Amino acid sequence: MSRFVYVNGQYVPYADAGIHAEDRGFQFGDAVYEVCEVKGGRLVDETRHMERLARSLRELKIAEPMSEGAWTRVLRETIRRNRLRDGSLYLQVSRGVHRRDFFFPPAGTPPTVVCIARNASPAKAEATAAKGIGIKSVPDNRWARCDIKTVMLLPASMAKEAARTDGANDAWFVDAKGFVTEGASANAWIVDKEGRLITRQIDNVILRGVTRTTLIDHLRREGIELVERPFTIAEAKAAREAFITSATSIVMPVVTIDGVTVGNGAPGLLSLKLRAAFHSAAEIAAV
Ligand code: PDD
């Protein structure tokens, strides 16, 4: 639980961390966000997360709310005030507060900035990874700019809820041609019967996952071949291994898809190897 939340320049107690009723994020989903892993009190892949945040803001023409140096201080101060060891930081920037209007507010309207700390149990995550997770596939009903990390997460929320109703842990979006685009809040990967590692290439229908990018760096260094192409949900069900990547799940093995067992039903060897190696490949911030 976050004890102090950064809201527009102040660290306020969690119970008092409110924003205005006419915030653009609340009324229009007009906001972008990042989730950055914190491990041992240190940010993981801060540079890439902050670069992606800057890109999301540019794409939506939302003003950058503060300098790089100010961001660095806010992130570290949020970790410090919450005594966060393991978990994540959630940062959100909206276009700000204005009388409800579809047109953008006047230039100079200050963006709303929020930073929330959240702890997570590494032991619990390892126990989940040792078992693997179940996936439900759902039609991808999101917009055409999923490369921008906006807070318009209702399709993802509904997909995850549908997965839970079916006894699965998470959801994968599938396009009209049967190709997996990505997970509801993660990128999707498979290892086919021949042992080839496959993930979708980056385009505007998926988020350019930071975990994905860092893992690709690691694969290159290790000389592990990667094929970047779309794969179908049928290929995934017939795969030897499957996994997801995100800042909160790192590399999480997938053992069932729509109730079909993937491989031998246990987390894949490559998936577990990549999970174990991930943090050695990531940028770990100085305290
Ligand atoms: N989600 N694809 C989607 C749709 C995502 O929401 C996420 C991250 C990813 C993986 O990106 P990264 O490796 O940078 O975390 C891919 C975060 C964790 C969330 O919404 O909570």
Side-chain angles (χ1 to χ4, degrees), residues 127-145:
T128 304
K131 271 176 40 198
I133 60 167
I135 293 290
K136 176 182 170 63
S137 67
V138 296
D140 196 341
N141 55 1
R142 302 172 302 163
W143 75 329
R145 289 304 307 275

Side-chain angles (χ1 to χ4, degrees), residues 33 35 49 52 142 149 182-187 207 209-211 245-248:
Y33 76 105
V35 178
H49 282 286
R52 187 174 60 191
R142 302 172 302 163
K149 199 160 172 62
E182 61 180 331
S185 62
N187 291 113
L207 187 76
V210 167
T211 317
T245 57
S246 74
T248 46

Side-chain angles (χ1 to χ4, degrees), residues 86-110:
D86 297 299
S88 58
L89 283 189
Y90 173 84
L91 14 159
Q92 182 178 323
V93 181
S94 87
R95 202 180 301 274
V97 178
H98 194 62
R99 191 177 63 89
R100 186 175 182 273
D101 188 352
F102 286 84
F103 294 106
F104 289 176
T109 302

Side-chain angles (χ1 to χ4, degrees), residues 8-273:
N8 294 330
Q10 287 181 313
Y11 298 89
V12 294
Y14 186 83
D16 306 326
I19 57 157
H20 198 278
E22 291 222 273
D23 193 273
R24 296 272 309 184
F26 180 53
Q27 290 183 338
F28 294 98
D30 190 359
V32 298
Y33 76 105
E34 279 296 326
V35 178
C36 190
E37 189 199 359
V38 175
K39 188 173 163 62
R42 292 156 179 252
L43 289 156
V44 178
D45 278 331
E46 176 186 11
T47 307
R48 282 183 168 148
H49 282 286
M50 296 318 283
E51 277 171 7
R52 187 174 60 191
L53 179 68
R55 177 182 183 274
S56 295
L57 291 168
R58 272 197 311 276
E59 291 293 321
L60 297 183
K61 300 184 170 61
I62 297 176
E64 181 63 73
M66 63 182 105
S67 68
E68 219 176 283
W71 270 124
T72 303
R73 286 192 293 278
V74 168
L75 303 185
R76 279 157 188 72
E77 190 59 14
T78 307
I79 291 173
R80 195 186 69 77
R81 291 196 187 219
N82 289 285
R83 297 198 200 108
L84 180 64
R85 298 296 302 158
D86 297 299
S88 58
L89 283 189
Y90 173 84
L91 14 159
Q92 182 178 323
V93 181
S94 87
R95 202 180 301 274
V97 178
H98 194 62
R99 191 177 63 89
R100 186 175 182 273
D101 188 352
F102 286 84
F103 294 106
F104 289 176
T109 302
T112 301
V113 184
V114 163
C115 182
I116 306 174
R118 169 134 175 213
N119 55 34
S121 155
K124 218 167 141 189
E126 287 318 309
T128 304
K131 271 176 40 198
I133 60 167
I135 293 290
K136 176 182 170 63
S137 67
V138 296
D140 196 341
N141 55 1
R142 302 172 302 163
W143 75 329
R145 289 304 307 275
C146 291
D147 57 310
I148 308 172
K149 199 160 172 62
T150 79
V151 301
M152 296 190 296
L153 295 173
L154 192 53
S157 177
M158 292 189 74
K160 281 183 187 258
E161 199 53 41
R164 182 159 71 176
T165 302
D166 267 19
N169 307 92
D170 212 335
W172 278 7
F173 288 121
V174 178
D175 73 13
K177 291 186 176 146
F179 289 104
V180 174
T181 52
E182 61 180 331
S185 62
N187 291 113
W189 306 63
I190 59 169
V191 179
D192 73 7
K193 286 246 155 49
E194 284 70 47
R196 277 185 299 256
L197 182 57
I198 305 168
T199 196
R200 190 187 181 94
Q201 74 286 355
I202 54 170
D203 51 24
N204 60 345
V205 306
I206 69 164
L207 187 76
R208 297 147 195 222
V210 167
T211 317
R212 176 190 184 282
T213 309
T214 295
L215 194 63
I216 291 175
D217 281 352
H218 173 71
L219 298 173
R220 288 209 183 102
R221 271 200 296 272
E222 293 295 308
I224 300 171
E225 200 200 329
L226 170 68
V227 186
E228 288 184 78
R229 67 158 174 86
F231 60 85
T232 64
I233 191 72
E235 279 183 278
K237 288 174 187 170
R240 185 191 285 180
E241 296 184 29
F243 62 89
I244 59 170
T245 57
S246 74
T248 46
S249 67
I250 316 300
V251 175
M252 183 57 71
V254 168
V255 292
T256 63
I257 300 173
D258 295 336
V260 176
T261 302
V262 175
N264 64 5
L269 290 181
L270 181 59
S271 312
L272 290 176
K273 198 172 114 184

